[in-house]
């Protein structure tokens, strides 16, 4: 792939070409991709119409209270508050996806949201997932990894999801008085998924040590203290007293700062650098990423002290990231986002929800803390491809004013094969031509 091949480059690193070809005439696409990550605020989504996590949490709690008491919602209020919040968040993403030049930063955001996965199942988290991405992920994906790790770990959605709010030091004041104990979920996932990885050299003793270190990291749930209510707070009565040894390093008991120091050290571990580098290379390039690319990304992570923009720049400057032919199947979310851009479809939130549920990758609702799988085999089942065809036909039916051949030339560019060009040209209807474009190998793979 030549760095100037906009269609293939935006498929691999971004969200695909827009059918209006605005990106194609803007020069070398690698320069465009690099310029996008050089804008420090490029990932932020400051939409005043969206609730923050505290507001969403309170709204869902209030609705649950009303239902328990058998009360009807106030006049004009949605019947399902969490669903209304979710739909507002989805529509904000669709507006962003249609507007961005390359989509590289949006792909980066999606990668890290999946790396630090939470789901929207469960009463307390319902409505909070979109806010979690806006508050914990987006502000830090163009910064340093340790800040991103801290923000994700401290966020109320994560603290609820991985049960840290129920974790109590056995020897803490509350633990001794009430006989409550540790919950190891959060500590285990930080080590296995978020930092050093399953081969990173940690032991069960390290899991227990980190769980003790993170006791007290919780959520303010007492309305008498509005400054902490619904936000991260450190609860000293539940914190396990005493120093802890984690992966060979001793951390003195200085309250919340014990956890901050431990997480920052985990963020700088060589195993963390390799774990992150491997996942990034697998996400953007190949299910079996070139070892030289993984090494280059690992070195960039370590040499820059986890400066993520440096790592992304290394990815874009590496020949290995450009040379491999398209082999990865676009996962469902990317398939939908690329389709929206290709035909400029203002997809309503309920439509997006139905499509992504059918395809098996609902937004902010992964099957486990490991997030959604990032390999093509997961999405290659025959029934899944049949469902993609049904969705492509449905979207094509809403885009009848477009010329399929013109859209194909803009979206696929030089990557369009003779077979795809001929099949689109021979289509009997506009809908059929657009569906053939959206189901073509060149559009499905990146």
């Amino acid at each position: 792939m030549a760095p100037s091949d906009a269609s293939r480059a935006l498929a691999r690193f971004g969200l695909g070409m827009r059918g209006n070809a605005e990106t194609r005439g803007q020069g070398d696409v690698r320069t465009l991709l690099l310029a996008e990550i050089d804008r420090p605020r490029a990932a932020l989504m400051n939409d005043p119409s969206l609730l923050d996590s505290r507001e969403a949490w309170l709204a869902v709690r209030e609705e649950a209270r009303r239902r328990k008491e058998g009360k009807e919602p106030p006049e004009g209020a949605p019947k399902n508050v969490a669903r209304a919040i979710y739909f507002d968040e989805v529509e904000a993403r669709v507006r962003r996806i249609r507007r961005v030049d390359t989509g590289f930063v949006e792909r980066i955001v999606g990668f890290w949201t999946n790396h630090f996965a939470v789901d929207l199942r469960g009463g307390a988290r319902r409505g909070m997932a979109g806010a979690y991405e806006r508050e914990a992920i987006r502000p830090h994906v163009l910064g340093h990894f340790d800040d991103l790790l801290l923000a994700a770990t401290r966020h109320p959605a994560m603290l609820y999801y991985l049960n840290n709010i129920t974790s109590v030091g056995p020897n803490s004041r509350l633990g001794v008085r009430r006989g409550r104990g540790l919950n190891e979920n959060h500590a285990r996932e930080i080590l296995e998924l978020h930092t050093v990885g399953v081969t990173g050299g940690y032991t069960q003793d390290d899991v227990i040590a980190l769980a003790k270190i993170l006791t007290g990291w919780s959520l303010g749930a007492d309305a008498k203290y509005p400054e902490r209510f619904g936000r991260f707070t450190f609860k000293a009565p539940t914190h396990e007293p005493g120093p802890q040894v984690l992966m060979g390093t001793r951390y003195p008991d200085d309250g919340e700062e014990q956890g901050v120091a431990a997480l920052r050290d985990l963020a700088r571990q060589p195993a963390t650098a390799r774990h992150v580098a491997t996942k990034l290379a697998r996400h953007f390039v190949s299910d079996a990423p070139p070892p030289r690319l993984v090494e280059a990304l690992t070195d960039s992570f370590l040499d820059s002290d986890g400066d993520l923009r440096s790592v992304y720049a290394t990815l874009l400057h590496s020949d290995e990231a450009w040379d491999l032919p398209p082999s990865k199947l676009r996962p469902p979310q990317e398939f939908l986002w690329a389709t929206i851009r290709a035909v400029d479809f203002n997809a309503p939130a309920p439509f997006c929800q139905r499509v992504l549920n059918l395809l098996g990758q609902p937004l902010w609702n992964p099957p486990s803390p490991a997030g959604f799988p990032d390999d093509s085999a997961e999405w290659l089942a025959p029934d899944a491809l049949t469902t993609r065809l049904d969705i492509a036909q449905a979207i094509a039916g809403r885009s009848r004013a477009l010329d399929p051949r013109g859209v194909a030339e803009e979206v696929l560019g030089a990557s369009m094969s003779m077979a795809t060009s001929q099949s689109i040209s021979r289509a009997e209807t506009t809908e059929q031509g657009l569906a053939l474009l959206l189901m073509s190998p060149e559009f499905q793979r990146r």
Side-chain angles (χ1 to χ4, degrees):
M1 185 198 312
S4 59
D5 187 343
S7 301
R8 287 181 60 187
L10 264 62
R12 174 158 294 177
F13 300 107
L15 292 172
M17 290 289 296
R18 289 180 291 182
N20 58 21
E22 289 179 10
T23 305
R24 189 179 298 282
Q26 295 183 20
D28 178 72
V29 70
R30 177 149 57 187
T31 301
L32 289 177
L33 294 166
L34 288 165
E36 192 164 298
I37 61 173
D38 278 341
R39 298 197 295 270
R41 299 175 59 84
L44 298 184
M45 181 177 283
N46 299 319
D47 189 329
S49 70
L50 301 176
L51 301 183
D52 65 25
S53 57
R54 179 177 183 272
E55 293 167 333
W57 180 63
L58 291 174
V60 173
R61 276 170 53 109
E62 176 62 19
E63 180 185 53
R65 184 189 63 78
R66 286 198 310 267
R67 287 183 175 178
K68 186 176 181 180
E69 296 173 355
K71 295 180 179 179
E72 292 294 320
E75 186 175 352
K79 292 183 179 180
N80 187 318
V81 169
R83 183 173 60 187
I85 294 170
Y86 173 84
F87 283 168
D88 286 344
E89 296 280 359
V90 173
E91 288 175 357
R93 273 36 173 213
V94 171
R95 290 193 297 271
R96 170 70 70 94
I97 286 159
R98 294 175 68 200
R99 185 176 70 243
V100 293
D101 286 338
T102 71
F104 184 37
V105 168
E106 290 305 300
R107 282 278 302 282
I108 290 168
V109 169
F111 170 84
W112 287 114
T113 299
N114 196 55
H115 181 83
F116 293 106
V118 302
D119 70 25
L120 47 76
R121 293 183 288 270
R125 295 191 308 279
R126 294 177 65 209
M128 247 200 277
Y132 164 74
E133 181 186 277
R134 288 185 287 109
E135 296 165 355
I137 305 298
R138 287 181 176 272
H140 304 288
V141 296
L142 299 178
H144 281 77
F145 178 75
D146 58 342
D147 293 328
L148 175 58
L149 173 64
L150 278 166
T153 303
R154 278 175 159 155
H155 196 276
M158 183 69 79
L159 293 169
Y160 261 113
Y161 180 44
L162 295 180
N163 308 119
N164 210 74
I165 62 170
T166 67
S167 187
V168 176
N171 299 304
S172 67
R173 280 180 281 163
L174 189 64
V176 170
R177 189 166 70 245
R178 298 187 181 177
R180 293 169 61 184
L182 287 177
N183 187 304
E184 298 174 10
N185 286 0
H186 201 175
R188 187 178 309 280
E189 306 304 4
I190 288 171
L191 291 167
E192 179 178 331
L193 302 176
H194 300 165
T195 59
V196 297
V198 69
T199 61
Y202 67 89
T203 66
Q204 175 60 19
D205 287 343
D206 292 316
V207 173
I208 294 171
L210 183 56
K212 290 178 178 179
I213 287 170
L214 293 179
T215 50
W217 287 40
S218 191
L219 179 73
D222 190 339
K224 295 178 183 178
Y225 302 96
E227 71 280 2
R228 299 198 300 265
F229 190 50
R231 305 188 191 282
F232 170 82
T233 188
F234 179 75
K235 296 183 177 179
T238 67
H239 181 64
E240 178 71 6
Q244 303 295 334
V245 177
L246 172 64
M247 297 192 74
T249 299
R250 185 179 185 274
Y251 295 93
D253 180 12
D254 50 3
E256 180 186 346
E257 289 306 309
Q258 186 182 42
V260 173
L263 289 175
R264 291 200 187 278
D265 284 348
L266 285 172
R268 291 171 170 82
Q269 286 272 354
T272 298
R274 178 164 291 277
H275 181 55
V276 168
T278 302
K279 288 189 68 173
L280 276 168
R282 183 181 300 124
H283 176 77
F284 282 101
V285 180
S286 170
D287 290 343
R292 285 181 58 187
L293 176 60
V294 174
E295 289 295 336
L297 297 177
T298 302
D299 291 345
S300 178
F301 188 105
L302 293 171
D303 292 345
S304 67
D305 195 29
D307 180 358
L308 295 174
R309 279 197 289 176
S310 295
V311 178
Y312 310 144
T314 299
L315 174 72
L316 294 176
H317 282 298
S318 297
D319 291 340
E320 292 86 355
W322 296 80
D323 289 346
L324 290 181
S327 62
K328 285 186 71 76
L329 185 74
R330 275 178 163 145
Q333 288 180 17
E334 285 182 40
F335 167 61
L336 180 58
W337 306 151
T339 297
I340 285 171
R341 285 168 66 82
V343 301
D344 195 26
F345 176 38
N346 188 18
F351 177 87
C352 292
Q353 181 191 41
R354 288 194 301 272
V355 164
L356 295 177
N357 283 342
L358 284 170
L359 292 174
Q361 198 183 23
L363 196 58
W364 305 310
N365 208 9
S368 76
F372 290 105
D374 202 5
D375 59 280
S376 298
E378 180 69 22
W379 313 112
L380 273 172
D383 58 336
L385 295 178
T386 301
T387 303
R388 288 193 187 212
L389 175 58
D390 293 339
I391 291 164
Q393 290 172 332
I395 294 175
R398 302 183 184 207
S399 309
R400 295 173 183 170
L402 299 175
D403 171 20
R405 289 171 295 184
V407 174
E409 289 172 359
E410 298 297 350
V411 171
L412 300 181
S415 67
M416 182 164 53
S417 68
M418 182 65 69
T420 295
S421 177
Q422 288 178 349
S423 65
I424 293 173
S425 297
R426 294 169 182 169
E428 296 180 359
T429 64
T430 297
E431 295 94 320
Q432 186 184 62
L434 289 173
L436 287 168
L437 159 63
L438 299 176
M439 292 303 298
S440 68
E442 300 93 313
F443 190 84
Q444 289 289 327
R445 293 191 177 272
R446 57 163 176 79

mmCIF file of all heavy atoms in Angstrom, residues 78 129 137 243 330:
data_model
loop_
_atom_site.group_PDB
_atom_site.id
_atom_site.type_symbol
_atom_site.label_atom_id
_atom_site.label_comp_id
_atom_site.label_asym_id
_atom_site.label_seq_id
_atom_site.Cartn_x
_atom_site.Cartn_y
_atom_site.Cartn_z
ATOM 1 N N PRO A 78 -38.926 10.485 29.491
ATOM 2 C CA PRO A 78 -38.936 9.203 28.769
ATOM 3 C C PRO A 78 -39.398 8.076 29.677
ATOM 4 O O PRO A 78 -39.190 8.106 30.898
ATOM 5 C CB PRO A 78 -37.475 9.021 28.346
ATOM 6 C CG PRO A 78 -36.689 9.841 29.297
ATOM 7 C CD PRO A 78 -37.557 11.014 29.642
ATOM 8 N N ALA A 129 -22.417 4.216 30.341
ATOM 9 C CA ALA A 129 -21.352 3.713 29.465
ATOM 10 C C ALA A 129 -20.827 4.778 28.509
ATOM 11 O O ALA A 129 -19.617 4.909 28.309
ATOM 12 C CB ALA A 129 -21.849 2.498 28.691
ATOM 13 N N ILE A 137 -11.922 7.845 28.816
ATOM 14 C CA ILE A 137 -11.136 7.386 27.668
ATOM 15 C C ILE A 137 -10.716 8.551 26.776
ATOM 16 O O ILE A 137 -9.517 8.783 26.550
ATOM 17 C CB ILE A 137 -11.925 6.337 26.857
ATOM 18 C CG1 ILE A 137 -12.380 5.178 27.763
ATOM 19 C CG2 ILE A 137 -11.087 5.834 25.696
ATOM 20 C CD1 ILE A 137 -11.268 4.403 28.408
ATOM 21 N N PRO A 243 1.848 -1.870 54.379
ATOM 22 C CA PRO A 243 2.500 -1.898 53.068
ATOM 23 C C PRO A 243 2.111 -3.166 52.307
ATOM 24 O O PRO A 243 1.707 -4.171 52.895
ATOM 25 C CB PRO A 243 3.986 -1.896 53.418
ATOM 26 C CG PRO A 243 4.054 -2.528 54.774
ATOM 27 C CD PRO A 243 2.796 -2.134 55.481
ATOM 28 N N ARG A 330 -13.632 -6.242 8.656
ATOM 29 C CA ARG A 330 -14.119 -5.174 9.526
ATOM 30 C C ARG A 330 -15.086 -5.760 10.556
ATOM 31 O O ARG A 330 -16.049 -6.430 10.186
ATOM 32 C CB ARG A 330 -14.848 -4.118 8.703
ATOM 33 C CG ARG A 330 -13.947 -3.064 8.090
ATOM 34 C CD ARG A 330 -14.733 -2.083 7.258
ATOM 35 N NE ARG A 330 -13.973 -0.876 7.010
ATOM 36 C CZ ARG A 330 -14.026 -0.170 5.875
ATOM 37 N NH1 ARG A 330 -14.796 -0.582 4.871
ATOM 38 N NH2 ARG A 330 -13.312 0.924 5.741
#
